[in-house]
Amino acid sequence: KLVQTSQVRFVFAQIPAMGVLQAYDDVLQRRPLPTKVVTAAVANALSEQLARCATTGSTSSAAASLKQSAVGITITAVVHFWHTRLERSLANWPPQQTRTVVLKTALQMLLLEPLLAAFFLALRHALDASSVKQFVEALRASWAKIVVSSWTVWGPASVIQYRFVPTHYRSLVNNVIGLFHTTYIVVLAAKKKLPIENADTASKDDKTE
């Protein structure tokens, strides 16, 4: 892991235009969780704005962006601890062997992603002050769709990350991928008018690790 980190930092140093990423990397090394949380907040607020522009041609409200940022921050913290715990639990497994990558990916797809989908919907409804009935209806209507979408996007992404990306960089990669995945899910949700209060502005996904 130290070799991988050194190699990434060396690449940053060799490209002048990557100075911002070098600074980000330095902060990430010193304060990993706060840095991931701030990154998630910005990425999720941006995804809310992109989704709103795609569905209505206008920008989203500040309240909707703040809600999506709150969702992103919370889920990013959960995923941060998931990766930390997973790496510790499988510390004796050769990290780059195929069986290790397959096991980590399978655990994420079968355990983490379904839980995150339900947690996301519960959090969105709590922030929207929706009723329990509305939450149950949304769970029935969209939980499976979100899980399948997550498998489609995060399955291949997880294989690549568990094989090549150091643990503390995974959240950054997840936020970049999640920016577009979240935007897609929000647009899809708005078109299908899923049963969430203010569904045209509510953000419907964040799976950032």
mmCIF file of all heavy atoms in Angstrom, residues 151-178:
data_model
loop_
_atom_site.group_PDB
_atom_site.id
_atom_site.type_symbol
_atom_site.label_atom_id
_atom_site.label_comp_id
_atom_site.label_asym_id
_atom_site.label_seq_id
_atom_site.Cartn_x
_atom_site.Cartn_y
_atom_site.Cartn_z
ATOM 1 N N TRP A 151 -25.436 -2.379 -8.761
ATOM 2 C CA TRP A 151 -24.641 -3.521 -9.197
ATOM 3 C C TRP A 151 -24.040 -3.267 -10.569
ATOM 4 O O TRP A 151 -22.889 -3.615 -10.825
ATOM 5 C CB TRP A 151 -25.521 -4.773 -9.256
ATOM 6 C CG TRP A 151 -25.900 -5.315 -7.909
ATOM 7 C CD1 TRP A 151 -25.338 -4.999 -6.709
ATOM 8 C CD2 TRP A 151 -26.927 -6.280 -7.633
ATOM 9 N NE1 TRP A 151 -25.956 -5.697 -5.694
ATOM 10 C CE2 TRP A 151 -26.928 -6.489 -6.231
ATOM 11 C CE3 TRP A 151 -27.840 -6.965 -8.427
ATOM 12 C CZ2 TRP A 151 -27.817 -7.377 -5.612
ATOM 13 C CZ3 TRP A 151 -28.716 -7.859 -7.821
ATOM 14 C CH2 TRP A 151 -28.700 -8.057 -6.430
ATOM 15 N N THR A 152 -24.827 -2.659 -11.449
ATOM 16 C CA THR A 152 -24.366 -2.409 -12.814
ATOM 17 C C THR A 152 -23.175 -1.458 -12.843
ATOM 18 O O THR A 152 -22.208 -1.665 -13.587
ATOM 19 C CB THR A 152 -25.507 -1.821 -13.658
ATOM 20 O OG1 THR A 152 -26.611 -2.726 -13.662
ATOM 21 C CG2 THR A 152 -25.053 -1.573 -15.092
ATOM 22 N N VAL A 153 -23.244 -0.414 -12.017
ATOM 23 C CA VAL A 153 -22.184 0.595 -12.008
ATOM 24 C C VAL A 153 -21.044 0.211 -11.070
ATOM 25 O O VAL A 153 -19.872 0.209 -11.454
ATOM 26 C CB VAL A 153 -22.752 1.967 -11.596
ATOM 27 C CG1 VAL A 153 -21.633 2.994 -11.432
ATOM 28 C CG2 VAL A 153 -23.767 2.433 -12.622
ATOM 29 N N TRP A 154 -21.405 -0.128 -9.831
ATOM 30 C CA TRP A 154 -20.371 -0.323 -8.814
ATOM 31 C C TRP A 154 -19.742 -1.706 -8.832
ATOM 32 O O TRP A 154 -18.674 -1.895 -8.240
ATOM 33 C CB TRP A 154 -20.946 -0.010 -7.437
ATOM 34 C CG TRP A 154 -21.411 1.393 -7.321
ATOM 35 C CD1 TRP A 154 -22.695 1.844 -7.200
ATOM 36 C CD2 TRP A 154 -20.591 2.569 -7.352
ATOM 37 N NE1 TRP A 154 -22.726 3.215 -7.151
ATOM 38 C CE2 TRP A 154 -21.452 3.683 -7.239
ATOM 39 C CE3 TRP A 154 -19.222 2.781 -7.463
ATOM 40 C CZ2 TRP A 154 -20.986 4.988 -7.242
ATOM 41 C CZ3 TRP A 154 -18.747 4.082 -7.465
ATOM 42 C CH2 TRP A 154 -19.624 5.168 -7.360
ATOM 43 N N GLY A 155 -20.371 -2.666 -9.519
ATOM 44 C CA GLY A 155 -19.740 -3.974 -9.640
ATOM 45 C C GLY A 155 -18.411 -3.888 -10.381
ATOM 46 O O GLY A 155 -17.355 -4.195 -9.807
ATOM 47 N N PRO A 156 -18.426 -3.448 -11.645
ATOM 48 C CA PRO A 156 -17.153 -3.291 -12.366
ATOM 49 C C PRO A 156 -16.202 -2.293 -11.698
ATOM 50 O O PRO A 156 -14.997 -2.518 -11.651
ATOM 51 C CB PRO A 156 -17.601 -2.779 -13.739
ATOM 52 C CG PRO A 156 -19.011 -3.247 -13.881
ATOM 53 C CD PRO A 156 -19.596 -3.172 -12.502
ATOM 54 N N ALA A 157 -16.777 -1.185 -11.174
ATOM 55 C CA ALA A 157 -15.932 -0.184 -10.529
ATOM 56 C C ALA A 157 -15.235 -0.758 -9.304
ATOM 57 O O ALA A 157 -14.058 -0.466 -9.044
ATOM 58 C CB ALA A 157 -16.775 1.031 -10.132
ATOM 59 N N SER A 158 -15.939 -1.599 -8.550
ATOM 60 C CA SER A 158 -15.359 -2.189 -7.344
ATOM 61 C C SER A 158 -14.243 -3.168 -7.682
ATOM 62 O O SER A 158 -13.222 -3.225 -6.983
ATOM 63 C CB SER A 158 -16.450 -2.893 -6.525
ATOM 64 O OG SER A 158 -17.395 -1.965 -6.045
ATOM 65 N N VAL A 159 -14.430 -3.939 -8.738
ATOM 66 C CA VAL A 159 -13.375 -4.866 -9.157
ATOM 67 C C VAL A 159 -12.088 -4.103 -9.449
ATOM 68 O O VAL A 159 -10.997 -4.478 -8.999
ATOM 69 C CB VAL A 159 -13.815 -5.665 -10.402
ATOM 70 C CG1 VAL A 159 -12.631 -6.437 -10.980
ATOM 71 C CG2 VAL A 159 -14.941 -6.627 -10.041
ATOM 72 N N ILE A 160 -12.216 -2.994 -10.174
ATOM 73 C CA ILE A 160 -11.046 -2.183 -10.517
ATOM 74 C C ILE A 160 -10.439 -1.557 -9.268
ATOM 75 O O ILE A 160 -9.211 -1.566 -9.074
ATOM 76 C CB ILE A 160 -11.437 -1.092 -11.530
ATOM 77 C CG1 ILE A 160 -11.842 -1.731 -12.856
ATOM 78 C CG2 ILE A 160 -10.285 -0.112 -11.746
ATOM 79 C CD1 ILE A 160 -12.425 -0.761 -13.855
ATOM 80 N N GLN A 161 -11.290 -1.050 -8.395
ATOM 81 C CA GLN A 161 -10.786 -0.371 -7.207
ATOM 82 C C GLN A 161 -10.088 -1.327 -6.245
ATOM 83 O O GLN A 161 -9.014 -1.030 -5.722
ATOM 84 C CB GLN A 161 -11.925 0.352 -6.493
ATOM 85 C CG GLN A 161 -12.455 1.530 -7.262
ATOM 86 C CD GLN A 161 -13.040 2.571 -6.350
ATOM 87 O OE1 GLN A 161 -12.321 3.320 -5.696
ATOM 88 N NE2 GLN A 161 -14.353 2.622 -6.289
ATOM 89 N N TYR A 162 -10.723 -2.470 -5.982
ATOM 90 C CA TYR A 162 -10.110 -3.427 -5.058
ATOM 91 C C TYR A 162 -8.808 -3.993 -5.598
ATOM 92 O O TYR A 162 -7.943 -4.424 -4.828
ATOM 93 C CB TYR A 162 -11.083 -4.570 -4.754
ATOM 94 C CG TYR A 162 -12.231 -4.171 -3.851
ATOM 95 C CD1 TYR A 162 -13.550 -4.435 -4.206
ATOM 96 C CD2 TYR A 162 -11.994 -3.526 -2.632
ATOM 97 C CE1 TYR A 162 -14.607 -4.065 -3.378
ATOM 98 C CE2 TYR A 162 -13.044 -3.159 -1.801
ATOM 99 C CZ TYR A 162 -14.341 -3.432 -2.180
ATOM 100 O OH TYR A 162 -15.382 -3.074 -1.359
ATOM 101 N N ARG A 163 -8.668 -3.970 -6.910
ATOM 102 C CA ARG A 163 -7.432 -4.500 -7.521
ATOM 103 C C ARG A 163 -6.343 -3.446 -7.618
ATOM 104 O O ARG A 163 -5.164 -3.751 -7.389
ATOM 105 C CB ARG A 163 -7.769 -5.038 -8.932
ATOM 106 C CG ARG A 163 -6.555 -5.534 -9.726
ATOM 107 C CD ARG A 163 -5.897 -6.723 -9.059
ATOM 108 N NE ARG A 163 -4.791 -7.242 -9.849
ATOM 109 C CZ ARG A 163 -3.562 -6.725 -9.838
ATOM 110 N NH1 ARG A 163 -3.299 -5.688 -9.066
ATOM 111 N NH2 ARG A 163 -2.621 -7.271 -10.584
ATOM 112 N N PHE A 164 -6.700 -2.189 -7.909
ATOM 113 C CA PHE A 164 -5.673 -1.213 -8.240
ATOM 114 C C PHE A 164 -5.626 0.028 -7.338
ATOM 115 O O PHE A 164 -4.572 0.670 -7.261
ATOM 116 C CB PHE A 164 -5.857 -0.733 -9.688
ATOM 117 C CG PHE A 164 -5.730 -1.824 -10.711
ATOM 118 C CD1 PHE A 164 -6.851 -2.319 -11.374
ATOM 119 C CD2 PHE A 164 -4.488 -2.365 -11.020
ATOM 120 C CE1 PHE A 164 -6.740 -3.326 -12.312
ATOM 121 C CE2 PHE A 164 -4.368 -3.373 -11.971
ATOM 122 C CZ PHE A 164 -5.493 -3.855 -12.611
ATOM 123 N N VAL A 165 -6.742 0.405 -6.707
ATOM 124 C CA VAL A 165 -6.806 1.697 -6.014
ATOM 125 C C VAL A 165 -6.555 1.531 -4.523
ATOM 126 O O VAL A 165 -7.236 0.736 -3.865
ATOM 127 C CB VAL A 165 -8.192 2.357 -6.233
ATOM 128 C CG1 VAL A 165 -8.255 3.708 -5.528
ATOM 129 C CG2 VAL A 165 -8.467 2.511 -7.724
ATOM 130 N N PRO A 166 -5.592 2.281 -3.955
ATOM 131 C CA PRO A 166 -5.371 2.241 -2.505
ATOM 132 C C PRO A 166 -6.631 2.657 -1.751
ATOM 133 O O PRO A 166 -7.435 3.447 -2.245
ATOM 134 C CB PRO A 166 -4.241 3.270 -2.291
ATOM 135 C CG PRO A 166 -3.549 3.346 -3.610
ATOM 136 C CD PRO A 166 -4.618 3.147 -4.636
ATOM 137 N N THR A 167 -6.799 2.146 -0.537
ATOM 138 C CA THR A 167 -8.030 2.335 0.225
ATOM 139 C C THR A 167 -8.424 3.794 0.371
ATOM 140 O O THR A 167 -9.588 4.173 0.167
ATOM 141 C CB THR A 167 -7.891 1.711 1.626
ATOM 142 O OG1 THR A 167 -7.532 0.326 1.486
ATOM 143 C CG2 THR A 167 -9.197 1.808 2.393
ATOM 144 N N HIS A 168 -7.475 4.663 0.726
ATOM 145 C CA HIS A 168 -7.827 6.051 1.028
ATOM 146 C C HIS A 168 -8.151 6.882 -0.213
ATOM 147 O O HIS A 168 -8.652 7.992 -0.097
ATOM 148 C CB HIS A 168 -6.712 6.728 1.836
ATOM 149 C CG HIS A 168 -5.377 6.729 1.164
ATOM 150 N ND1 HIS A 168 -4.565 5.624 1.116
ATOM 151 C CD2 HIS A 168 -4.717 7.701 0.505
ATOM 152 C CE1 HIS A 168 -3.456 5.909 0.471
ATOM 153 N NE2 HIS A 168 -3.524 7.165 0.083
ATOM 154 N N TYR A 169 -7.903 6.330 -1.417
ATOM 155 C CA TYR A 169 -8.272 7.037 -2.646
ATOM 156 C C TYR A 169 -9.629 6.582 -3.194
ATOM 157 O O TYR A 169 -10.156 7.184 -4.122
ATOM 158 C CB TYR A 169 -7.218 6.821 -3.736
ATOM 159 C CG TYR A 169 -5.903 7.489 -3.461
ATOM 160 C CD1 TYR A 169 -4.733 6.733 -3.381
ATOM 161 C CD2 TYR A 169 -5.814 8.866 -3.275
ATOM 162 C CE1 TYR A 169 -3.515 7.335 -3.116
ATOM 163 C CE2 TYR A 169 -4.596 9.471 -3.010
ATOM 164 C CZ TYR A 169 -3.457 8.696 -2.932
ATOM 165 O OH TYR A 169 -2.256 9.282 -2.672
ATOM 166 N N ARG A 170 -10.186 5.526 -2.623
ATOM 167 C CA ARG A 170 -11.410 4.956 -3.193
ATOM 168 C C ARG A 170 -12.585 5.921 -3.098
ATOM 169 O O ARG A 170 -13.437 5.962 -3.985
ATOM 170 C CB ARG A 170 -11.735 3.631 -2.504
ATOM 171 C CG ARG A 170 -10.764 2.526 -2.888
ATOM 172 C CD ARG A 170 -10.998 1.262 -2.115
ATOM 173 N NE ARG A 170 -9.910 0.309 -2.346
ATOM 174 C CZ ARG A 170 -9.688 -0.756 -1.595
ATOM 175 N NH1 ARG A 170 -10.486 -1.018 -0.562
ATOM 176 N NH2 ARG A 170 -8.681 -1.557 -1.865
ATOM 177 N N SER A 171 -12.648 6.665 -2.016
ATOM 178 C CA SER A 171 -13.764 7.602 -1.869
ATOM 179 C C SER A 171 -13.743 8.659 -2.965
ATOM 180 O O SER A 171 -14.784 9.042 -3.496
ATOM 181 C CB SER A 171 -13.715 8.272 -0.488
ATOM 182 O OG SER A 171 -14.783 9.173 -0.344
ATOM 183 N N LEU A 172 -12.556 9.144 -3.328
ATOM 184 C CA LEU A 172 -12.439 10.139 -4.393
ATOM 185 C C LEU A 172 -12.908 9.556 -5.723
ATOM 186 O O LEU A 172 -13.678 10.182 -6.456
ATOM 187 C CB LEU A 172 -10.994 10.621 -4.507
ATOM 188 C CG LEU A 172 -10.687 11.584 -5.664
ATOM 189 C CD1 LEU A 172 -11.521 12.856 -5.534
ATOM 190 C CD2 LEU A 172 -9.193 11.910 -5.704
ATOM 191 N N VAL A 173 -12.445 8.344 -6.031
ATOM 192 C CA VAL A 173 -12.870 7.687 -7.267
ATOM 193 C C VAL A 173 -14.380 7.459 -7.249
ATOM 194 O O VAL A 173 -15.071 7.690 -8.248
ATOM 195 C CB VAL A 173 -12.127 6.352 -7.450
ATOM 196 C CG1 VAL A 173 -12.644 5.611 -8.684
ATOM 197 C CG2 VAL A 173 -10.624 6.584 -7.571
ATOM 198 N N ASN A 174 -14.896 7.025 -6.095
ATOM 199 C CA ASN A 174 -16.333 6.796 -5.979
ATOM 200 C C ASN A 174 -17.135 8.066 -6.210
ATOM 201 O O ASN A 174 -18.204 8.045 -6.825
ATOM 202 C CB ASN A 174 -16.668 6.239 -4.590
ATOM 203 C CG ASN A 174 -16.265 4.786 -4.445
ATOM 204 O OD1 ASN A 174 -16.042 4.088 -5.425
ATOM 205 N ND2 ASN A 174 -16.148 4.342 -3.211
ATOM 206 N N ASN A 175 -16.640 9.189 -5.701
ATOM 207 C CA ASN A 175 -17.356 10.451 -5.866
ATOM 208 C C ASN A 175 -17.380 10.900 -7.317
ATOM 209 O O ASN A 175 -18.371 11.476 -7.779
ATOM 210 C CB ASN A 175 -16.733 11.539 -4.979
ATOM 211 C CG ASN A 175 -17.240 11.476 -3.561
ATOM 212 O OD1 ASN A 175 -18.432 11.539 -3.288
ATOM 213 N ND2 ASN A 175 -16.320 11.332 -2.607
ATOM 214 N N VAL A 176 -16.300 10.652 -8.047
ATOM 215 C CA VAL A 176 -16.263 11.006 -9.468
ATOM 216 C C VAL A 176 -17.268 10.157 -10.248
ATOM 217 O O VAL A 176 -18.068 10.674 -11.044
ATOM 218 C CB VAL A 176 -14.853 10.821 -10.045
ATOM 219 C CG1 VAL A 176 -14.868 11.036 -11.557
ATOM 220 C CG2 VAL A 176 -13.884 11.800 -9.379
ATOM 221 N N ILE A 177 -17.243 8.836 -9.997
ATOM 222 C CA ILE A 177 -18.203 7.949 -10.673
ATOM 223 C C ILE A 177 -19.617 8.258 -10.199
ATOM 224 O O ILE A 177 -20.564 8.332 -10.985
ATOM 225 C CB ILE A 177 -17.859 6.479 -10.383
ATOM 226 C CG1 ILE A 177 -16.470 6.135 -10.930
ATOM 227 C CG2 ILE A 177 -18.918 5.559 -11.001
ATOM 228 C CD1 ILE A 177 -15.978 4.759 -10.539
ATOM 229 N N GLY A 178 -19.762 8.451 -8.883
ATOM 230 C CA GLY A 178 -21.071 8.693 -8.306
ATOM 231 C C GLY A 178 -21.714 9.981 -8.771
ATOM 232 O O GLY A 178 -22.941 10.094 -8.794
#
